[in-house]
């Protein structure tokens, strides 16, 4: 059987998906992208995420289904809203499960490594330059999302997918999908408590500054390997910023435009060349940080290997569906030749008319 490269090594097509290839909507699953998903799953990931392909091989997608314990209706509501996300480093939904089918949604495939998998491949925390580039791109993305009057409410290490040209921010609405506003969210399936702002953990309405808290936890994880490190564990250029992002008081957290500026300054090698923000706010300053060399070589190699493995993966063709049984056809009855034509009978001509003989008159 052909093997597709998963994030933890080579994974057989259909592995962990029951016997044969798992079918989700029109797609067949090739492999998962999340470490630990085959062994029961990572409870902090709000969705089960796969690389999948149509049986004919014409479309390959990143496909998500609700994590165990996540309400499928809320999951699909967030997936539907994600169709309208703007920004260079978002992953808008392009296909949704039809009404009445089990919940799933899909995005176009590109080679990706979730941030936890990237740290595993790299062998530890990422370089400061890489962390600053990731943080600036994510902060710019959140600024655009907030400019759409939306709150991401799903930022966490697993939501950050690393690819060749920068990150992609996934798991839109993960906190909202896990529980309704007003319900305590800590400890729920699909929620990463370490990246959950205190006000959201208590059931509060997700707000933009909650995304800033989650961004700080994600940067701390990328730089140290865990989301709530000691201050001295962080690189000097990130200590103050991460500490302010993780403030329990939302009013003490920085604005995203300031996050982008500080990360751009910390991540620049040489004179600052960042451009002025435009559009919704802090836009396009991350581009200078995502220049060639921003991503460690091991991650580049892992992404290239995944892309080649997926391209080369065979998709088992679905078994032919049995045709409904049909009654044997009854041959048509033979045509009965018409009876020989009998000419109409010839009637004898009527007898000659005999004139009426009058009776003799009666005598009186």
């Amino acid at each position: 059987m052909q093997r597709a490269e998963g994030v933890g090594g080579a994974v057989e097509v259909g592995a962990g998906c029951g016997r044969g290839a798992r079918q989700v909507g029109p797609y067949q699953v090739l492999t998962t992208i999340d470490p630990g998903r085959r062994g029961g799953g990572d409870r902090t990931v709000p969705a089960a995420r796969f690389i999948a392909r149509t049986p004919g091989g014409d479309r390959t997608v990143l496909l998500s289904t609700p994590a165990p314990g996540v309400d499928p209706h809320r999951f699909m509501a967030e997936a539907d809203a994600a169709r309208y996300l703007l920004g260079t480093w978002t992953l808008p939904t392009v296909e949704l499960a039809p009404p009445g089918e089990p919940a799933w949604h899909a995005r176009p495939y590109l080679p990706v490594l979730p941030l936890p998998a990237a740290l595993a491949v790299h062998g530890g925390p990422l370089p400061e330059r890489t962390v600053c580039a990731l943080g600036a791109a994510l902060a710019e993305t959140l600024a655009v999302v907030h400019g759409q009057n939306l709150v991401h409410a799903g930022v966490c290490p697993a939501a950050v997918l690393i690819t060749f040209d920068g990150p992609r921010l996934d798991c839109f609405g993960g906190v909202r999908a896990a529980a309704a506003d007003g319900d305590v969210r800590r400890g729920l399936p699909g929620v990463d408590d370490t990246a959950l702002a205190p006000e959201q953990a208590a059931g509060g309405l997700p707000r933009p500054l909650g995304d800033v808290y989650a961004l700080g936890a994600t940067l701390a994880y990328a730089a140290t390997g865990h989301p709530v490190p000691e201050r001295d564990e962080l690189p000097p250029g990130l200590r103050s910023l991460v500490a302010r992002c993780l403030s329990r008081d939302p009013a003490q957290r920085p604005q995203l435009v300031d996050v982008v500026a500080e990360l751009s300054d910390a991540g620049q090698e040489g004179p600052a060349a960042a451009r002025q923000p435009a559009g919704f706010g802090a836009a396009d300053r991350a581009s200078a940080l995502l220049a060639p060399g921003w991503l460690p070589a091991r991650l580049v190699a892992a992404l290239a290997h995944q892309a080649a493995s997926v391209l080369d993966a065979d998709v088992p063709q679905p078994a032919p569906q049995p045709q409904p049984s049909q009654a044997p056809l009854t041959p048509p009855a033979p045509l009965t030749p018409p009876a020989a034509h009998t000419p109409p009978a010839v009637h004898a001509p009527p007898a000659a008319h005999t004139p009426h003989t009058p009776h003799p008159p009666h005598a009186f």
Side-chain angles (χ1 to χ4, degrees), residues 57-134:
D58 60 323
R59 294 198 313 281
T60 302
V61 297
L62 295 173
L63 186 142
S64 295
T65 61
V70 173
D71 182 86
H73 300 290
R74 286 198 295 267
F75 173 86
M76 289 301 293
E78 299 299 333
D80 182 65
R83 292 186 299 153
Y84 307 102
L85 291 177
L86 301 176
T88 304
W89 294 289
T90 58
L91 270 178
T93 300
V94 296
E95 191 174 1
L96 294 164
E101 286 192 10
W104 61 267
H105 67 92
R107 289 72 48 83
Y109 170 71
L110 68 166
V112 293
L113 289 173
L115 185 57
L119 266 66
V121 170
H122 183 64
L126 300 180
E128 183 176 0
R129 176 189 175 186
T130 302
V131 176
C132 290
L134 288 174

